[in-house]
Structures are given as structure tokens and as C-alpha cells.
Amino acid sequence: MCGIVGAIAERNITAILLEGLKRLEYRGYDSAGLAVLDASGALRRLRRSGKVAELESAQREAELGGRLGIAHTRWATHGAPCERNAHPHFSGDDLAVVHNGIIENHEALRRQLKADGYVFSSDTDTEVIVHLLHQKLDELGDLTVALKAAVKALHGAYGLAVVSARQPDRILAARSGSPLVVGLGLGENFLASDQLALRQVTDRFMYLEEGDIAEIRRDSVQVWNQAGDAVNREVVQYHEGAEAADKGEFRHFMLKEIHEQPKVVQRTLEGRLAQDHVLIEAFGPTAAELFARVRNVQIVACGTSYHAGMVARYWIEELAGIPCQVEVASEFRYRKVVVQPDSLFVTISQSGETADTLAALRNAKAAGYLASLAICNVGTSSLVRESDLTLLTQAGPEIGVASTKAFTTQLVALMLLTLSLGRARGALAADVERELVDELRRLPTRLGEALAMDPTIEKVAENFAEKQHTLFLGRGEQYPVAMEGALKLKEISYIHAEAYPAGELKHGPLALVDSHMPVVTVAPNNELLEKLKSNLQEVRARGGELIVFADGSAGIEDGEGTVLVKMPHIHDALSPILYTVPLQLLSYHVAVLRGTDVDQPRNLAKSVTVE
Ligand code: F6R
């Protein structure tokens, strides 16, 4: 989604701004721009629709340089994606603002500012911020004081970066609902919406909190909290390998991330398993006592993370014996919810900044849940900071827009949660836990075996290259795996794909099945296998073409109208994690065959920080 970068230094900072924007490209955007204070003290702006590369070549031509500047990649919410609507937005010729988020009262503010004589040159909600700030700056004379006054009038979400030619010794930042991080250098400082943008220049970061305003000068950073008090924010040293933003030997980030799964699953397990049980303390010092009280679990998430929650529902009810509901955050947040007594509220998110999931968590806080738990991949995210308990997935930065390794590590984390809840509630037999802990230890090896099937799956992908529609089937905990398979295929290959619980086929979707409709099925050898086989017969009888990923012992035959891909054997409970891998590879190869932009599919953004 939108990205912010800012820099103040004694050297030319345009290359730093552009490199930062490129590092944020993976989030999705439609235009980019920057504003730099040049040697004559004038604030100069460049904006382009399309890729950051367009902005970069415009910058080369314009030979724009300076020691203070802000930059932005935009993903349109208010106003079409075009140069006129791209950030930075100016008021007069000496004040520039970039903004992530949405200003909800922008119409009222726009009316008022127009009445005061301001002329608008874009359709964005952001432009009201810069004119409002300009008005306050004229009134109050100091940029920092003016920003503190201006944000009081803003309703909605924002991460803001501001520069002005009137006070060229500072960048100002304000955070409410949209993350911002200050990067600390030696005699130079930086600002970004994600530390990844600044990893080239520093490894020391200060995360702004909700309501914070920061004044970033070349050699100092001052922060005020929501109440206006000066505060110190902790400085964190970042250790994650900078290599994450590099594709290495792989053609796409998505393929690299699929192949990282054995390693990151291993990392997600590290330090969380004792010899024969899960260490409940991994969820926090109060988790053991809290989990013993849990009588109900409510999971809330979006997209792929929601699918992880759907799998967990089967696990939590079966292995921990606790009722569990799962809902997409965009619905949950606007619904009047009846909270069961002693309910644990669980959010799942790769980014930890998804607007709907965060809003659901904030609502839940007032609704009387026992506690909130975040399963998240970003330790510094808003979701983690605002939850009572956290279990971090250790997937490392995920650059491909289509989520892969984040999903499988979420499933591992949710299995750890299931086993912890089961033991804390006394519902899980010790030998079952021991067996599953052993299986979890073997999981990275099993995932490696599934990845070794890549050449086979690449061939299977040829069946899809010309197709327009596909059905994905699964039963039990494989139904959400089918949903995730369908989501991956539609996201990156643009083939229409739908998932159904296989038993539901005869209640409607069977009408769609003919020889042009491949039907993908995941079939581990579990107690639902015989029923699933009958569902597959229903498809074959209508001329449907089956692609079945099945356990070698499932007794499903390759042959006329059925392509069988034999999977390594795996414990039933962990099969959703393993069976996800071939579906990821299938989508990837189909997308490559169709020539789509695999890592940045059209219309999508990596981190959906707006509603
Ligand atoms: C799909 C995908 C999205 C995200 C969803 C939630 O490949 O990536 O569906 O899963 O936007 O994002 P997080 O997990 O960051 O909350």
C-alpha cells in the first residue's frame, strides 16, 4: 500500500529517497513522487504515475538534488491514480506533505478551506492536510506547533511526513493509525512507513506510537505523545538479514518465499518446543494461567490469514475441545457480537497493520474478551503492540504480494496455540501432544519433500494455462486449504477460481462442471477420503478434469481424466500445512505461463492499511 520515505542529511538525499521507495514497491502502488529542498532553498517536486523507475528517470533528467526531502508511493483511495493526485501535495510553494491512510472528514475540511480561499489542485483527501497545516503555520509561525494544532482537526487514519522551506532544518512526522518509523544515522536522520525502506542507511530505529508527533532534525529527534508530553521512544537495533529484499537465484520473490518454507517453519518452532510438549510461555508469561481459563476462541483475520484461522478452527475444536469461531475482520468489526464468557480473541496477520484486523482488535478490547492474542509476522507492528499476548511467526519479510511462507508459518503458530490450549484446559492427552510435537519437528523435512515435486507440478500447470475457470475441492481442514489454493490462483494468474467443501458440490456448483473446468482436489488419507472419492466420481461423470494431490496410500488412480500427484505421507493433523505447498507452486507456474506480474499482481497491495 502507500509508502513514505524522508531524509535530512548533509549529503544529497535523492538517491536515498528513491531507493527507499523501491524497497516499498512490493506493497503495491500506482504513482510516486518526491519533494526536495534544493541548493537555492526552494522546495521542488517531481511526480509520476506508474513505477518508481519513471520517477527515477525524471529525477535524473531534472538533476534534482538536496539535503532535505520526503517521498511517497501512492495506492489510490480518493481520486484516480494519476500525476495530479500523486503525493507530495503542496500548499503555496513552500510546504509539502505526504500521507498514508484516509482522512474521513476531508469533505467538511475542504469546504471550510475553500471558503478561506485555498485552491485545490487534486481530488485527494490528503490535500486538505497540507492546506490546513499552511493555515496553522501562517497563524502560529512554527511548523511543529502548527502540525500539533492541525492534526487535532483530522478524523481518520494518517501517517504524515512534512517539510517546509520556511523551516528547512526539520522533517515533521505524525502517526495515527498508520505506522511510521524514524531511522537514526550519524549526523543524519530518516523517516519511513516501514524500516525496510531504510535498511540501506541504518539499522537503528525508533517506532512512533499512536498519536505521536516527531520533529526530526539532522542531529536530534524529539517526540511528543498524544497528550502533548515530550517522550523518549526506545531505539531498537534491527538484525534481520538485509538479503530479504533480494531474489537470489530465484526468478520471483514468490518462488523464493515458497522455497524458504522449510527454513522459516523451523525458525517458527525454535525455542517453542520442549522434548514432548509445547512451551506455553512462548505466548507470554501470563499465558499458562490465562489459557487454563479459555472456554471459547474467536479468530479474526483477512484473506490468507483468515484461511489460516479456518484451519485452526478444526484443530482447536478437535484437539483442544474448545468451541472456536472464525470471521473475516471487515465483517466482524461492524457486527454486534455476543461475546461468550472467557473468550480468547485471536487475530492473525502477516503485516500486523491490516486496517480491518486492527479495527476489529480495537473493538474487541471494549467488548469483554478475556484477552487478545496476535499471531503476527512483524514484531514491531501495531497489532502486536496493541495485543495482550503475541506469538510471532518467523517468516522474515514477505515481498511477494501473494502470501505463501506467512501462511504456513501462521499454521505452525496456530498448531502451537492449539496444543497449548489443549494442555492448559486438560483436554489433550500427553501422548497425542508428544506425537504431534515429534511430527512438527519432522515438518521442515516433509516440506522439503513437497518442494522437490516442483518439476512435476510445473508440468501439471500446463493444463491450466488456457483455462478461464477452476474449482478447488477439499473436505474438513482441507477445505480452507482449497480456499487458499483458489485465492492464490486468482490473485496471480487472474483465472477465476472458487473453492467448495467437496460435499457441497452436488448442491449447486456441479452444474458448472464440464471438460473446460479443471477441478483441483487435496486428498490426504484421512477418515473423509471415501466420501471425497464419491465427490470425485460426481465430477468425472460430468466430464470434469481432475487434478488430485493425494497421499500415495489413498487408492486414487492416475488415468483417464485424472491427473494424480502423489504427496509425501504426513500426520493428518499437519496435512493442511503440507498440502498448501503444491497449490502455491501450481499457482506460481500457471501465472508464469500466462505471463502475469507474479510478485506485484494487478490491483493488489501487500499491506492493506486502509479500509
Ligand atoms: C493473499 C494475501 C492477502 C492477505 C490479507 C491480510 O495472498 O496476501 O489476502 O492475507 O490482506 O493481510 P495480513 O495477513 O497482513 O493481515
Side-chain angles (χ1 to χ4, degrees):
M1 197 131 287
C2 304
I4 289 177
V5 187
I8 180 162
E10 275 216 312
R11 51 178 166 150
N12 183 0
I13 47 76
T14 43
I16 296 173
L17 297 182
L18 287 164
E19 173 62 21
L21 292 186
K22 280 194 220 154
R23 286 167 178 255
L24 297 177
E25 274 191 308
Y26 76 95
R27 289 163 175 264
Y29 61 94
D30 48 54
S31 50
L34 53 80
V36 172
L37 194 83
D38 73 9
S40 72
L43 203 52
R44 289 179 59 200
R45 168 171 71 175
L46 274 177
R47 299 180 292 175
R48 289 292 180 272
S49 55
K51 301 245 173 201
V52 175
E54 308 283 332
L55 182 67
E56 195 172 24
S57 60
Q59 185 271 330
R60 262 197 308 271
E61 256 171 55
E63 291 181 357
L64 183 57
R67 297 170 179 192
L68 167 73
I70 53 177
H72 189 260
T73 49
R74 173 171 188 255
W75 190 74
T77 57
H78 292 75
C82 59
E83 195 169 312
R84 193 170 57 85
N85 287 332
H87 303 209
H89 288 286
F90 270 45
S91 190
D93 56 6
D94 61 0
L95 182 65
V97 166
V98 295
H99 165 222
N100 285 355
I102 290 177
I103 302 303
E104 283 172 348
N105 59 337
H106 70 103
E107 279 171 353
L109 288 171
R110 184 180 274 252
R111 271 196 301 277
Q112 180 200 313
L113 287 159
K114 274 186 174 170
D116 293 343
Y118 283 96
V119 177
F120 283 74
S121 58
S122 79
D123 310 315
T124 63
D125 52 338
T126 303
E127 201 179 346
V128 301
I129 305 173
V130 72
H131 293 315
L132 182 67
L133 185 58
H134 187 272
Q135 196 170 51
K136 298 284 179 203
L137 184 56
D138 281 352
E139 225 173 276
L140 301 163
D142 178 82
L143 191 59
T144 312
V145 178
L147 182 64
K148 287 180 182 173
V151 295
K152 291 203 175 100
L154 303 178
H155 299 169
Y158 53 82
L160 297 178
V162 180
V163 289
S164 171
R166 292 194 223 177
Q167 281 176 300
D169 58 348
R170 67 194 71 176
I171 301 174
L172 286 180
R175 175 196 165 140
S176 181
S178 202
L180 282 177
V181 58
V182 179
L184 303 166
L186 286 176
E188 53 187 19
N189 286 314
F190 312 94
L191 176 72
S193 49
D194 184 325
Q195 73 210 10
L196 196 64
L198 302 177
R199 289 287 294 117
Q200 31 143 358
V201 280
T202 184
D203 59 359
R204 290 192 310 131
F205 297 101
M206 185 191 280
Y207 296 92
L208 298 187
E209 298 196 357
E210 283 298 281
D212 278 359
I213 288 190
E215 183 186 274
I216 302 154
R217 295 174 182 242
R218 216 173 47 68
D219 45 16
S220 68
V221 178
Q222 168 99 58
V223 182
W224 295 268
N225 66 12
Q226 198 142 27
D229 301 325
V231 284
N232 287 322
R233 296 286 176 226
E234 193 192 349
V235 175
V236 179
Q237 188 107 18
Y238 185 71
H239 293 294
E240 184 62 54
E243 79 284 357
D246 182 353
K247 286 198 276 268
E249 69 192 81
F250 294 97
R251 184 164 162 197
H252 294 100
F253 280 111
M254 183 182 178
L255 190 61
K256 175 185 177 225
E257 288 160 4
I258 291 173
H259 280 270
E260 278 173 358
Q261 289 177 111
K263 182 177 78 190
V264 295
V265 160
Q266 175 77 45
R267 256 198 242 154
T268 303
L269 290 171
E270 266 162 25
R272 288 159 177 177
L273 298 179
Q275 187 60 26
D276 56 1
H277 63 272
V278 175
L279 296 165
I280 300 187
E281 302 75 17
F283 293 85
T286 55
E289 182 253 331
L290 241 161
F291 285 1
R293 289 167 55 198
V294 172
R295 284 199 285 152
N296 186 69
V297 176
Q298 172 70 60
I299 299 179
V300 172
C302 302
T304 288
S305 300
Y306 165 70
H307 296 155
M310 293 270 292
V311 172
R313 182 176 66 169
Y314 289 90
W315 288 341
I316 290 172
E317 298 215 337
E318 186 174 331
L319 293 165
I322 301 172
C324 176
Q325 298 84 43
V326 190
E327 193 164 345
V328 285
S330 54
E331 285 300 312
F332 182 89
R333 65 180 288 192
Y334 289 116
R335 205 162 64 73
K336 178 101 192 69
V337 178
V338 178
V339 181
Q340 305 285 336
D342 296 319
S343 274
L344 178 67
F345 187 79
V346 180
T347 53
I348 310 169
S349 174
Q350 188 285 125
S351 60
E353 302 294 350
T354 300
D356 286 322
T357 310
L358 265 172
L361 171 65
R362 287 172 186 158
N363 292 351
K365 286 199 158 171
Y369 284 93
L370 183 62
S372 58
L373 163 69
I375 301 223
C376 187
N377 196 37
V378 182
T380 47
S381 63
S382 308
L383 200 71
V384 167
R385 287 150 183 260
E386 293 181 28
S387 297
D388 302 318
L389 304 174
T390 302
L391 191 72
L392 289 182
T393 49
Q394 301 290 352
E398 193 179 58
I399 310 290
V401 163
S403 196
T404 52
K405 60 177 181 169
F407 179 67
T408 41
T409 52
Q410 283 168 350
L411 289 179
V412 168
L414 287 160
M415 179 50 89
L416 297 178
L417 174 65
T418 303
L419 299 180
S420 301
L421 284 171
R423 181 148 46 85
R425 294 285 306 156
L428 185 69
D431 58 335
V432 177
E433 184 171 15
R434 187 178 319 117
E435 187 188 351
L436 281 166
V437 164
D438 285 345
E439 290 292 336
L440 279 170
R441 285 207 178 88
R442 283 194 277 271
L443 185 58
T445 311
R446 295 285 99 84
L447 291 170
E449 288 163 15
L451 288 168
M453 295 160 53
D454 194 18
T456 312
I457 294 163
E458 194 173 353
K459 279 197 88 52
V460 174
E462 289 166 13
N463 293 300
F464 291 77
E466 304 301 326
K467 297 292 194 291
Q468 295 308 321
H469 307 276
T470 309
L471 271 184
F472 282 72
L473 300 180
R475 294 196 76 126
E477 63 269 66
Q478 296 297 338
Y479 166 47
V481 172
M483 291 170 83
E484 175 58 10
L487 179 64
K488 285 291 90 87
L489 190 70
K490 68 183 120 181
E491 272 181 302
I492 60 167
S493 75
Y494 315 148
I495 294 177
H496 169 223
E498 276 192 81
Y500 271 90
E504 191 63 12
L505 204 58
K506 54 189 172 296
H507 298 293
L510 202 53
L512 293 171
V513 172
D514 63 14
S515 58
H516 304 295
M517 169 82 99
V519 178
V520 179
T521 311
V522 276
N525 194 3
N526 64 16
E527 79 271 17
L528 288 173
L529 182 65
E530 288 312 315
K531 302 213 177 294
L532 184 74
K533 283 184 184 167
S534 316
N535 303 142
L536 298 187
Q537 285 312 319
E538 294 162 11
V539 173
R540 279 302 301 131
R542 272 92 190 161
E545 206 182 297
L546 284 168
I547 290 93
V548 186
F549 295 89
D551 191 286
S553 61
I556 295 175
E557 299 294 328
D558 198 14
E560 189 60 3
T562 305
V563 176
L564 175 68
V565 182
K566 282 194 185 160
M567 293 289 294
H569 183 66
I570 181 101
H571 190 288
D572 264 4
L574 300 190
S575 62
I577 309 176
L578 190 75
Y579 278 69
T580 294
V581 174
L583 300 191
Q584 294 169 341
L585 287 169
L586 180 65
S587 299
Y588 172 77
H589 289 300
V590 174
V592 170
L593 283 171
R594 288 168 70 99
T596 60
D597 189 345
V598 173
D599 284 331
Q600 291 173 26
R602 67 187 183 198
N603 306 342
L604 297 181
K606 181 66 186 164
S607 178
V608 188
T609 52
V610 292
E611 199 178 339

